[in-house]
């Protein structure tokens, strides 16, 4: 049987995304970003993001369909991010998904945003090997996971950040360096002209007992702020600061991810999320995986940052695994922990009972 065309809708933060996936293949996608509207506030303003989703969700779905050469009635299932993320922003995507699923008479699936980041890689490199180690590095999350069957099995957390996420560290450090928002891409660009050995930024939790695979980035953020303050009168060597900070983040992330693969006897590392777009994170992961004989998979940058295709990819996996669709009273969970790829009220009730 031909597998149905799954529409994925993403609206958890400042990107409105729609993607169409069938049988593991990306057919079309479109993204609209409200990033420019947040830039002057130095961070995402939830109300502005939610309003922008209202304006963008229909045109974005239209553009994804046009890119794929498909019509609304070709859609066979709908997947939508139900959490984690900004409550008002998530509501817009979920409302759109429910309305469309109801109107088209197709099944609806609630998807965990971070599972979407993981599934993004399948659109570029095919099915994930079972098991694989996944490093998720985004603006709000930093986790090292052991993933088996993404659609069926519970996800194991090997480690998580104890405080800030890696992307948050980039965004906040960029601010004290006087770089524009969003900080990650700005640091990546500025770092090209800098010396990564110029500043000895700390490598937190490198040998901390009990925290082998956990991360901590708030100390690094503070160190970056102190360093910037120290240069206030003499002019800030921004390129050196950016390159050194980027090196510290890339070092911490890749060191632990490669060690986790070795210890668990896992042959594949998958690096996903917005920070996986960082050039040094990519090159250092490449270097260290090659040295350790580990296969590295990193999606292309456009599939690393938030998009709808990754949510469609999870929906497609769920459909093909025969997962139960969500009821139409599906609700958002803005702080959903990452346990399963699908996020349904049924799963939430089971969690409360357990
Ligand atoms: O996954 P994502 O698009 O949204 C979340 O789910 O959070 O990640 C956004 C994060 C932001 O912190 C942004 O600064 C960071 O990813 N980011 C980067 C780069 N591109 C995006 N960080 C470092 N280097 C980049 N090239
Ligand atoms: Zn994300």
């Amino acid at each position: 049987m031909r597998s149905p065309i799954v529409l994925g809708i993403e609206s958890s933060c400042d990107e409105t995304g729609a993607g169409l996936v069938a049988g593991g293949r990306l057919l079309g996608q479109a993204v609209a970003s409200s990033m420019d509207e947040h830039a002057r506030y130095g961070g995402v303003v939830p109300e502005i993001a939610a309003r922008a989703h209202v304006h963008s969700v229909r045109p974005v779905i239209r553009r994804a369909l046009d890119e794929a050469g498909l019509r609304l009635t070709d859609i066979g299932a709908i997947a939508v991010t139900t959490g984690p993320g900004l409550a008002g922003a998530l509501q817009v995507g979920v409302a759109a998904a429910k309305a469309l699923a109801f109107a088209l008479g197709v099944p609806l699936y609630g998807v965990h945003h971070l599972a979407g980041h993981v599934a993004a890689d399948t659109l570029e490199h095919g099915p994930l090997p079972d098991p694989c180690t996944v490093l998720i590095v985004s603006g709000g999350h930093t986790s090292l996971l052991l993933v088996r069957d993404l659609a069926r099995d519970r996800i194991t957390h090997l480690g998580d950040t104890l405080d800030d996420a890696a992307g948050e560290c980039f965004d906040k450090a960029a601010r004290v360096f006087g770089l524009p928002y969003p900080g990650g891409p700005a640091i990546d660009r500025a770092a090209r002209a800098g010396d990564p050995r110029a500043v000895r930024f700390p490598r937190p939790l490198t040998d901390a007992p009990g925290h082998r695979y956990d991360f901590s980035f708030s100390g690094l953020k503070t160190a970056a702020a102190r360093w910037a303050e120290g240069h206030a009168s003499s002019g800030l060597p921004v390129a050196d600061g950016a390159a050194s900070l980027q090196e510290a983040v890339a070092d911490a992330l890749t060191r632990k991810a490669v060690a986790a693969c070795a210890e668990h006897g896992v042959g594949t590392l998958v690096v996903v999320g917005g920070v996986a777009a960082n050039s040094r994170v990519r090159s250092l992961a490449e270097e260290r995986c090659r040295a350790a004989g580990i296969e590295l998979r990193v999606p292309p940058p456009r599939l690393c940052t938030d998009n709808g295709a990754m949510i469609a990819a999870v929906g497609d996996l769920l459909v093909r695994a025969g997962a139960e669709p969500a009821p139409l009273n599906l609700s958002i969970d803005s702080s959903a922990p990452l346990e399963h790829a699908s996020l349904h009220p049924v799963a939430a009730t089971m969690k409360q009972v357990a």
Side-chain angles (χ1 to χ4, degrees):
M1 205 180 72
R2 262 194 39 227
S3 102
I5 294 165
V6 183
L7 167 68
I9 300 175
E10 155 63 33
S11 72
S12 66
C13 192
D14 56 348
E15 260 96 34
T16 319
L20 293 149
V21 170
R25 239 168 34 86
L26 176 61
L27 307 175
Q29 71 154 329
V31 177
S33 178
S34 59
M35 200 176 276
D36 295 346
E37 294 172 61
H38 307 290
R40 66 191 177 106
Y41 304 101
V44 176
V45 183
E47 287 79 6
I48 294 179
R51 203 167 321 132
H53 289 305
V54 172
H55 286 291
S56 303
V57 70
R58 262 163 43 99
V60 158
I61 293 170
R62 181 80 269 150
R63 271 169 42 213
L65 284 167
D66 288 348
E67 191 186 290
L70 294 168
R71 288 185 303 209
L72 265 181
T73 48
D74 293 321
I75 294 169
I78 297 179
V80 61
T81 306
T82 48
L86 304 169
L90 289 165
Q91 296 281 17
V92 179
V94 170
K98 282 183 186 178
L100 266 179
F102 182 68
L104 296 170
V106 299
L108 175 68
Y109 297 86
V111 165
H112 196 290
H113 177 77
L114 296 177
H117 277 300
V118 180
D121 187 65
T122 64
L123 299 174
E124 185 72 15
H125 300 118
L128 292 171
D130 173 3
C132 58
T133 303
V134 178
L135 173 66
I136 296 196
V137 272
S138 73
H141 297 85
T142 302
S143 297
L144 198 50
L145 312 167
L146 195 63
V147 173
R148 307 205 70 105
D149 183 328
L150 187 62
R152 292 185 174 92
D153 297 332
R154 192 188 172 93
I155 294 163
T156 306
H157 287 246
L158 302 174
D160 292 281
T161 182
L162 302 179
D163 39 60
D164 293 357
E168 203 173 342
C169 175
F170 276 134
D171 292 336
K172 288 179 177 162
R175 222 167 149 166
V176 299
F177 291 175
L179 294 169
Y181 173 85
I187 287 196
D188 202 340
R189 278 194 303 275
R192 285 184 213 149
D195 175 4
R197 286 172 304 273
V199 194
R200 269 308 296 173
F201 282 126
R203 303 294 196 261
L205 297 185
T206 307
D207 289 309
H211 293 293
R212 282 183 64 118
Y213 302 127
D214 288 329
F215 303 96
S216 166
F217 291 107
S218 77
L220 193 51
K221 173 187 72 184
T222 309
R226 289 289 116 75
W227 174 80
E229 280 161 24
H231 284 81
S233 51
S234 54
L236 198 62
V238 172
D240 283 348
S244 302
L245 181 83
Q246 183 172 273
E247 192 64 27
V249 173
D251 182 20
L253 292 174
T254 58
R255 182 183 299 276
K256 295 202 175 204
V258 170
C261 288
E263 190 184 318
H264 289 85
V266 176
T268 305
L269 172 66
V270 189
V271 187
V272 297
V275 178
N278 182 267
S279 60
R280 187 54 182 151
V281 170
R282 297 173 85 96
S283 69
L284 195 54
E286 184 82 54
E287 243 172 68
R288 289 184 169 165
C289 281
R290 197 180 316 119
I294 294 164
E295 181 205 13
L296 174 69
R297 296 177 37 151
V298 194
R302 78 191 153 83
L303 286 174
C304 287
T305 47
D306 290 350
N307 63 83
M310 68 187 200
I311 304 304
V314 178
D316 172 60
L317 290 173
L318 291 171
V319 168
R320 288 191 284 146
E324 192 68 30
L328 272 183
N329 68 359
L330 174 73
S331 55
I332 64 153
D333 183 352
S334 60
S335 57
L338 178 58
E339 292 166 349
H340 288 276
S342 80
L343 267 182
H344 291 171
V346 188
T349 324
M350 275 162 50
K351 210 171 57 205
Q352 276 164 15
V353 172

